[in-house]
Amino acid sequence: ITIIKSANPADDTLFDFALIDQRPGGNPPVPFSLSDPGSKTQIFSNLPIGDYVVSELPLPTGWFVDDISCTTDDINDTSSVSLTNGEVVIDLDENENIICTFSNHKQAALTITKQAVGGAASVPGFDFSGSGPIGNFSLSLGDSQSFDLFPGNYTITETLPAGWLLD
């Protein structure tokens, strides 16, 4: 069993894993850590035939599992992936080689700052609406609002008070 870490961005964040032996009377879990671009590969050789789970949880703060993909030389392999649980259940057969890559993305940060030219600083607030987790919010002149978001496309719309123009 070979486990490979792929992180975006590759910033040396340490990701914790465990190899869990599911065989009756099997070995205790084997914890290990991987980072990208650092130590990004863990190889387990000469394992007995049986079922194993490789789990990557808990994730470091601000990271999520983007993909887990496995390749094997066993055409009858029944291994399965759970992105929700951050794990792969491996059905290891005799002489089988399986390589699983765990891919993670770091959440992005978006900051909206309200700036204006002219007008009075006493304007009560400028209303914004955003798609997804951004939702509705208001900002006064010079104020900011930050959001931690998963990579993707988002829309933010500003509703202008009477007498104001968007430049």
Side-chain angles (χ1 to χ4, degrees):
I1 296 175
T2 301
I3 305 301
I4 299 172
K5 164 52 55 203
S6 174
N8 186 5
D11 66 357
D12 286 325
T13 296
L14 203 59
F15 295 86
D16 294 324
F17 291 82
L19 173 71
I20 304 163
D21 188 340
Q22 299 288 297
R23 299 172 305 127
N27 296 314
V30 178
F32 61 100
S33 298
L34 298 174
S35 66
D36 183 6
S39 205
K40 63 187 282 179
T41 303
Q42 175 73 46
I43 299 172
F44 296 95
S45 301
N46 302 315
L47 292 172
I49 294 169
D51 291 337
Y52 296 86
V53 173
V54 177
S55 177
E56 181 192 28
L57 290 176
L59 289 171
T61 302
W63 288 86
F64 69 97
V65 178
D66 187 48
D67 187 40
I68 302 171
S69 61
C70 297
T71 59
T72 179
D73 52 10
D74 179 0
I75 60 171
N76 297 314
D77 185 64
T78 59
S79 298
S80 62
V81 167
S82 171
L83 289 178
T84 304
N85 294 330
E87 68 183 24
V88 58
V89 178
I90 297 172
D91 166 34
L92 187 65
D93 295 322
E94 188 172 359
N95 297 319
E96 180 180 10
N97 292 304
I98 186 163
I99 300 169
C100 295
T101 301
F102 285 70
S103 300
N104 302 79
H105 273 87
K106 192 171 190 176
Q107 286 183 313
L110 172 69
T111 301
I112 307 295
T113 302
K114 180 58 191 171
Q115 296 179 343
V117 176
S122 63
V123 173
F126 295 84
D127 295 326
F128 295 83
S129 61
S131 61
I134 296 171
N136 298 326
F137 60 98
S138 293
L139 295 175
S140 296
L141 292 176
D143 285 347
S144 297
Q145 176 74 44
S146 295
F147 304 92
D148 290 326
L149 301 169
F150 293 111
N153 295 315
Y154 299 92
T155 302
I156 298 175
T157 306
E158 179 181 11
T159 303
L160 296 173
W164 288 84
L165 300 173
L166 191 59
D167 188 19

